[in-house]
Amino acid sequence: MSHASPDYYAHPTAILDEGCQVGRGSRIWHFCHISAGADIGEACNLGQNVFVADGVTLGRNVKVQNNVSLYGGVVCEDDVFLGPSVVFTNVKNPRSAIPRKGPGQYLTTYLEQGVTIGANATIVCGVRLGRYAFVGAGSVVTHDVPAYALVYGTPARPQGWMSAAGHRLNFDAQGRADCPESGEKYELSPDSTTVRPMVSKIPKLPKNSN
């Protein structure tokens, strides 16, 4: 595939297999390899030495730092951030002597909008990370992560909550917190297991009497 495209940029050392899809405004840097069945959205940025396998889908504005391999079954929604050397898997019980490839073998690992994964974290296949979840550097994620949750450790465990702008949330006695950067307000569920942004209600205008 030609690297000269009016829609995206690929460094001359990058390999883009015929058939891959790359969105407008994306940038693919040194020594990347994009497989034929990969689908990369608009305005993505892939750092040095990134591999994207068949069956991987990246949404819009996904940032993948250096030395990350995305294997079949990984799906990233918009605005996902993957730190340097993040590790993904796609088979839970690999054996060299037993082929476990393709449909029915690769488990889906799903990252919802705005997820951040810190450097050197490992994401075991078959998990789902909720919107704006935040995984600390060096963690090993083995279970689903709720939206807005902060997790870290080996294995990763819940450690608090993060705003969409990436700040730790400190909830008051009423279970409410403000993001110090955006001012967005959040509400903690009574059982402290979920967080949601509070959307201001738009006042209803009086009906026109004419």
Side-chain angles (χ1 to χ4, degrees):
M1 176 176 291
S2 171
H3 292 190
S5 169
D7 297 327
Y8 63 86
Y9 170 79
H11 190 271
T13 60
I15 298 172
L16 280 66
D17 290 344
E18 191 70 38
C20 70
Q21 301 296 314
V22 181
R24 183 185 299 273
S26 288
R27 300 174 71 81
I28 300 169
W29 293 100
H30 308 63
F31 312 118
C32 290
H33 181 186
I34 314 302
S35 300
D39 188 348
I40 296 172
E42 296 182 352
C44 292
N45 191 86
L46 277 59
Q48 180 172 302
N49 195 37
V50 169
F51 171 67
V52 185
D54 292 334
V56 171
T57 300
L58 304 184
R60 189 180 187 282
N61 192 41
V62 174
K63 291 181 171 60
V64 185
Q65 302 300 297
N66 296 354
N67 305 314
V68 176
S69 291
L70 298 161
Y71 298 116
V74 174
V75 178
C76 297
E77 291 187 354
D78 297 347
D79 304 321
V80 167
F81 179 91
L82 305 178
S85 301
V86 164
V87 175
F88 289 92
T89 67
N90 59 7
V91 175
K92 279 202 170 181
N93 59 337
R95 290 293 195 192
S96 179
I98 303 174
R100 293 190 172 114
K101 297 181 179 180
Q105 297 291 336
Y106 294 158
L107 298 180
T108 299
T109 300
Y110 200 100
L111 281 61
E112 296 183 11
Q113 181 179 3
V115 166
T116 289
I117 302 179
N120 291 301
T122 297
I123 312 300
V124 176
C125 58
V127 300
R128 188 180 187 99
L129 280 65
R131 286 167 57 88
Y132 298 104
F134 200 107
V135 177
S139 301
V140 178
V141 176
T142 59
H143 294 90
D144 292 352
V145 178
Y148 302 98
L150 168 65
V151 299
Y152 54 83
T154 307
R157 301 184 187 281
Q159 306 289 347
W161 304 94
M162 300 286 277
S163 71
H167 294 276
R168 193 154 186 173
L169 295 170
N170 297 307
F171 289 93
D172 60 20
Q174 287 71 47
R176 296 184 177 182
D178 296 345
C179 172
E181 181 175 350
S182 69
E184 187 175 26
K185 298 181 182 299
Y186 293 85
E187 185 174 49
L188 181 66
S189 65
D191 61 1
S192 300
T193 59
T194 60
V195 162
R196 66 178 182 88
M198 298 172 62
V199 180
S200 300
K201 294 182 178 180
I202 301 175
K204 293 183 179 180
L205 297 175
K207 293 183 179 179
N208 193 331
S209 58
N210 293 336

